[in-house]
């Protein structure tokens, strides 16, 4: 019984944050695509976030074009001029708590910048980068 309690505590701790279970799900999807998948990498995530690509409306943009290079700062939607609250959960505790919202915006924003959806590995990498900043 004691062990069961320990096991339960460990798994509750692991899944206390919805973003953690989403990362576990992305990891499973990444392994299904590539058996050699080694884990998510915040440095790759930074590259995904900051590198520029011909995206929406033929403009050369990156994720940072709207969210800036400092995730603690406010950003601005370059297409609408609307302010965007900081992306880092350190500056904005609501960030990465609503997985439905995270999925929706990752889908949209990858299309804005990369003109395609992100792969499970790319999404995990970039989320890890955001969580670390
Ligand atoms: C054209 C401007 C723009 C670009 C480019 C952009 N975003 Fe966003 N992003 C937004 C807006 C607008 C929202 C939704 C408003 C909000 O949540 O403040 C958002 C929301 C998000 C969220 C939701 C976070 C949460 O939990 O609330 C994530 C994650 C995100 N963006 C990541 C990215 C990544 C990764 C890229 C690059 C692939 C990117 N964004 C590029 C404008 C942009």
């Amino acid at each position: 019984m004691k062990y069961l309690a320990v096991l339960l505590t460990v798994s509750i701790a692991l899944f206390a944050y919805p973003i953690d279970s989403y990362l576990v799900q992305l990891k499973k999807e990444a392994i299904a695509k590539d058996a050699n998948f080694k884990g998510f990498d915040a440095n790759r995530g930074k590259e995904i976030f900051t590198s520029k690509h011909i995206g929406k409306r033929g403009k050369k943009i990156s994720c940072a074009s709207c969210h800036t290079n400092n995730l603690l700062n406010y950003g601005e939607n370059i297409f609408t001029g609307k302010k965007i609250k900081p992306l880092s959960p350190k500056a904005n505790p609501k960030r990465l708590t609503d997985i439905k919202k995270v999925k929706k915006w990752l889908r949209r924003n990858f299309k804005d910048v990369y003109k395609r959806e992100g792969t499970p590995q790319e999404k995990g990498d970039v989320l890890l980068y955001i969580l670390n900043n």
Side-chain angles (χ1 to χ4, degrees), residues 76-122:
E76 187 184 303
N77 188 320
I78 51 165
F79 294 109
T80 65
K82 274 196 194 161
K83 269 201 180 290
I84 303 173
K85 287 185 181 153
L87 207 48
S88 168
K90 284 180 197 126
N92 182 357
K94 281 194 188 147
R95 289 301 189 192
L96 310 187
T97 56
D98 177 348
I99 301 308
K100 250 183 147 176
K101 181 175 176 184
V102 171
K103 285 183 182 171
K104 171 183 152 183
W105 283 97
L106 281 181
R107 192 182 313 120
R108 269 200 201 182
N109 289 166
F110 262 95
K111 283 191 177 159
D112 289 344
V113 178
Y114 289 88
K115 289 186 163 170
R116 60 169 174 79
E117 286 198 29
T119 65
Q121 176 169 332
E122 286 172 329

Side-chain angles (χ1 to χ4, degrees), residues 11-73:
S11 49
I12 289 166
L14 273 176
F15 296 106
Y17 296 100
I19 192 65
D20 293 333
S21 27
Y22 183 45
L23 282 170
V24 170
Q25 186 196 321
L26 284 173
K27 187 180 168 190
K28 281 185 194 149
E29 290 174 21
I31 293 169
K33 280 193 156 209
D34 174 8
N36 290 320
F37 173 77
K38 293 278 187 298
F40 297 125
D41 177 341
N43 284 327
R44 279 196 313 253
K46 183 178 185 178
E47 178 65 21
I48 290 165
F49 199 85
T50 54
S51 60
K52 289 193 171 181
H53 306 269
I54 305 285
K56 195 175 171 183
R57 296 186 203 156
K59 268 191 123 168
K60 204 171 184 199
I61 59 169
S62 68
C63 307
S65 300
C66 290
H67 292 293
T68 83
N69 278 316
N70 183 344
L71 301 190
L72 300 169
N73 285 346

